[in-house]
Amino acid sequence: MEEKEIYKYEYPHPAVTADCVIFGFDGKSLRILLIERGVEPFKGSWALPGGFVRIDETVEEAAIRELQEETNVKGVYMSQLGVFSKVDRDPRERVITVAFYALVKPTDHDVIGGDDAASAQWFSLDDYPIPVFDHEQIIKAAYAQLQRNFRAGNVGLEMFEDKFSISQLYLLHSLVTQKDIDRRNFYKKMTSYDYIEPTNEKMSDTPHKPSQLFSIDRMTYDSELKESFNLIRFDLDEKTDDDKLKTNKKK
Amino acid sequence: MEEKEIYKYEYPHPAVTADCVIFGFDGKSLRILLIERGVEPFKGSWALPGGFVRIDETVEEAAIRELQEETNVKGVYMSQLGVFSKVDRDPRERVITVAFYALVKPTDHDVIGGDDAASAQWFSLDDYPIPVFDHEQIIKAAYAQLQRNFRAGNVGLEMFEDKFSISQLYLLHSLVTQKDIDRRNFYKKMTSYDYIEPTNEKMSDTPHKPSQLFSIDRMTYDSELKESFNLIRFDLDEKTDDDKLKTNKKK
DNA sequence: CCAAAAGTGTTACGAATACACCCATGA
DNA sequence: TCATGGGTGTATTCGTAACACTTTTGG
């Protein structure tokens, strides 16, 4: 054990982790993705997916990597939430965490526990096991942030891989903002955006009128939304720490 | 030298720093506060005030402490900007930094270089020495954030310790948002807020009509603004990591 | 009396709100 | 045929934007 302690510093260094708050919307309700810890401390308890930032990767890379390793979720657009650095937030040693959050469609991702996670599971946002460390605080902060973004006008289309119906989007907005939005006004507003385009496909899986499907003009959507919000999005193969600041240069 | 390397870890740990982007508005122009480094690396070059997070303090505490130590600026309301973690951003070792930003009145603070800073100085935002590390990127990101906040409706009153005139505020908004705002509409809007109250004092220090001074109902201002923005403010004696999350205590 | 900045009122437009009925489908 | 959810139009309100002249002071 002593043998392995080979990294020496003149001053004490904190460990740094990246944690991911992944919200899911399956068309019916809001969910949150937690993992069952497969290692100590708190083995067997639930926690946010995440883990230590390696010495040769950015915090964004760590977040993506850990999320994929522990839950098999990949290719989502995450945003930085903030840093949580209470001195005693981890019993092992001083750990500072950088939290990220994202909103995805659970159905687009086969959730499989892996690596340090015994399992990974979606829970209802209304009823999930209280996670360990200060992860409950982080979830609360992430949800508050999500809510602020939606209330400030974020459309939340980054979660849809492909087609969607306005009524799905309506339900999502109702759930997130916790306001009862007028359905007619919502339809009007959404269809007025130039990045939301009607297709001639319809979807019918319930006993009622089939819903019209819309597609997203991703280019237009991204350019309009990146300007007004600080949505830093990154994917597996992006060099994100750079991109974060390239907003002017790009496109 | 070997003797001092007494902190050992099983895995490599990054160092963590907190850096502060302090914008100043003196009633005429926007400034930025930089320090001249008094230690290697880059001794003699300019950089953002900031430094290493101690093992027993939060990143917020580190930001406040370093700012005070290096520039004598204290008691400002800072917000977390984000984490910058490019692997090679510091030549010494792997350093992850948490950036904060604030807007203050330079005249309220006697800027004195101290500690690791040979000197501290306000520069015009239009013409300042390019700082070392990736601090230029951080400044750009902070300014973008400040601009977003103002454009989204932040009033920016947190920088005024006491009284202010609408024309001062007007100039500030013009400078930050880079838009030419209609002066009449601006006056109307500002005086309509219930947290901006007219006093019967006037201020006259230039050859023209003296300007009416207004005062801030800090309670109302804070409560209204903290809801719509994620302005995490903290002062020297606050336990901020907690406060940050206390806003949504229980549903 | 002139320059320089402070202060003020009205109209116009557009976005957000409030509100109710018909349609298509599967059971 | 009916229960369920999808889809649509219009009037009102409110905040934002456009617009120019008078006032006060120091030089």
Side-chain angles (χ1 to χ4, degrees), chain B residues 81-97:
Chain B
L81 174 65
V83 174
F84 295 79
S85 63
K86 263 199 320 212
V87 172
D88 58 355
R89 56 178 295 286
D90 193 302
R92 289 168 290 187
E93 62 175 320
R94 178 74 200 281
V95 178
I96 291 173
T97 197

Side-chain angles (χ1 to χ4, degrees), chain B residues 167 183-184 187-188 208-209 211-212:
Chain B
S167 55
R183 233 177 59 253
R184 281 164 292 187
Y187 271 69
K188 208 187 315 170
H208 51 259
K209 194 175 179 178
S211 40
Q212 168 100 28

Side-chain angles (χ1 to χ4, degrees), chain A residues 167 183-184 187-188 208-209 211-212:
Chain A
S167 54
R183 221 161 35 82
R184 283 163 292 186
Y187 271 68
K188 206 188 315 171
H208 51 258
K209 191 173 179 179
S211 41
Q212 167 100 29

Side-chain angles (χ1 to χ4, degrees), chain A residues 108-127:
Chain A
D108 289 335
H109 305 277
D110 279 339
V111 169
I112 304 165
D115 203 65
D116 291 344
S119 66
Q121 198 177 316
W122 289 103
F123 290 95
S124 162
L125 247 194
D126 300 321
D127 181 28

